[in-house]
Amino acid sequence: MRHQPAVTATVLTTIIFWTIGHANAVPRSKPNQIQYEYVAPKNPAHQPIHDQMKQGRALEHLQELLGPLRLPYPLTIKVTGCDGAPNAFYNDEVVTVCYEMLADILKSAPAHDLPGGLSRADTILGPVLAIFLHETGHAVFNMLQIPVLGREEDAADQFAAYVMLKLGKDEARRLILGTAYHHSLQMPGQQVTLPIQLLSNEHSTPAQRAFNILCIGYGADEKLFADVVEKNYLPKGRAEVCAGEYDDLNFAMTKLIGPHIDKRLARKFHEVWARTVSARRANLARQ
Ligand SMILES: [Zn+2]
């Protein structure tokens, strides 16, 4: 027992040492921390996707778009082949989007523009941007140690929808409808039968993800997305609570993510997207 004070002092010294050491080891957050990598595809079928993204400077534009994020470490955004798995994930400061997933989106896009003003390009650009932003959401939660209530997969979808809404009304509408369209393709029809195990997945079902992103859009701007409810893409019962859902999201993003945004760079956010999107949309329409 007599030795205890000495032991406690040693423990305290150790704790203080490590605390100071740790604090010194964590670099200060700063903007322009996005890096990128186009990995050469192993599957020749993915070469056109790689070439088109590289020629169109897709990752360079994402780098600029996400530049306002203040991060303690660099975040790499990478496109690569995944041996046949259509996947996207975040791990150890790297967002990986597989060519297989991008190929699936291209393949499932409609051949022509859709009625209601949604272009073929929107049905590609929307879900592709949604994937990059969803994974960036995971990266932000992890790298900035943002507490997440509820399921992180839903939170990452909400992060993506919120960022899309900052791209200007017309773009936000196109991208959100395009993303919802892509989700709805994966669960077509009014009645669905699915293995019960699918409901245990950490992701919401594609239909729920479609309703959720439409709800965030409608909650943010009831006029811009009015037709979504009129056409019953988003049922009235859900639509009634969307303003509240958007308020919750806006509060969380402002309070938790807002302090990590470089406000000076963020003012150019809309302009960066607007400068690059027309050429990309024209390219996608031609395919
Ligand atoms: Zn996810």
Side-chain angles (χ1 to χ4, degrees):
M1 290 298 278
R2 280 181 58 211
H3 295 292
Q4 201 166 359
V7 170
T8 306
T10 310
V11 169
L12 266 180
T13 311
T14 311
I15 289 171
I16 289 164
F17 175 79
W18 281 110
T19 307
I20 293 167
H22 185 65
N24 286 342
V26 176
R28 274 170 62 87
S29 288
K30 54 181 186 182
N32 294 321
Q33 287 276 51
I34 309 296
Q35 303 180 347
Y36 61 87
E37 189 181 354
Y38 298 93
V39 179
K42 283 189 251 167
N43 181 345
H46 297 150
Q47 195 64 44
I49 300 177
H50 165 274
D51 294 350
Q52 198 191 347
M53 287 186 84
K54 206 165 176 180
Q55 281 157 18
R57 300 174 58 79
L59 297 187
E60 287 86 337
H61 293 152
L62 259 181
Q63 177 188 47
E64 194 180 354
L65 197 69
L66 298 173
L69 266 178
R70 300 181 61 92
L71 298 171
Y73 308 99
L75 169 66
T76 300
I77 293 185
K78 181 165 94 172
V79 284
T80 186
C82 297
D83 298 321
N87 209 349
F89 45 90
Y90 164 75
N91 237 332
D92 296 334
E93 284 105 47
V94 181
V95 161
T96 302
V97 175
C98 306
Y99 290 122
E100 286 84 347
M101 192 156 213
L102 299 169
D104 275 6
I105 290 172
L106 281 170
K107 203 169 73 184
S108 64
H112 303 287
D113 294 350
L114 297 168
L118 195 64
S119 71
R120 170 185 146 79
D122 296 330
T123 68
I124 300 167
L125 268 181
V128 168
L129 182 66
I131 288 165
F132 280 103
L133 293 178
H134 172 107
E135 299 309 331
T136 302
H138 284 303
V140 164
F141 301 152
N142 179 268
M143 293 171 77
L144 297 174
Q145 299 181 12
I146 304 294
V148 175
L149 288 176
R151 304 203 298 172
E152 184 169 327
E153 292 304 335
D154 290 338
D157 276 353
Q158 291 202 319
F159 176 94
Y162 189 86
V163 175
M164 284 179 173
L165 283 165
K166 299 289 176 203
L167 293 171
K169 283 189 184 228
D170 181 53
E171 287 300 323
R173 183 180 149 84
R174 287 165 174 272
L175 296 165
I176 283 179
L177 292 183
T179 307
Y181 174 83
H182 180 73
H183 285 313
S184 71
L185 281 180
Q186 296 169 67
M187 205 174 265
Q190 291 299 307
Q191 301 283 335
V192 288
T193 305
L194 71 169
I196 193 101
Q197 287 87 345
L198 274 185
L199 299 180
S200 72
N201 195 277
E202 73 267 37
H203 299 89
S204 293
T205 61
Q208 285 175 308
R209 296 179 77 180
F211 289 133
N212 287 345
I213 192 169
L214 291 177
C215 186
I216 292 303
Y218 182 73
D221 193 332
E222 290 185 6
K223 276 192 195 142
L224 187 63
F225 290 91
D227 58 332
V228 160
V229 182
E230 282 154 19
K231 291 174 187 152
N232 204 32
Y233 298 149
L234 180 66
K236 271 204 171 62
R238 175 70 183 273
E240 282 167 9
V241 299
C242 292
E245 288 192 32
Y246 176 76
D247 281 351
D248 285 346
L249 172 59
N250 189 38
F251 179 59
M253 290 292 291
T254 307
K255 181 129 181 144
L256 298 173
I257 313 287
H260 303 283
I261 302 293
D262 183 298
K263 301 289 184 293
R264 192 181 57 84
L265 288 177
R267 277 199 288 275
K268 291 201 298 181
F269 184 70
H270 169 248
E271 174 200 315
V272 171
W273 179 259
R275 170 160 36 89
T276 57
V277 72
S278 318
R280 184 150 292 123
R281 199 165 264 135
N283 270 338
L284 288 169
R286 273 199 295 273
Q287 288 178 354

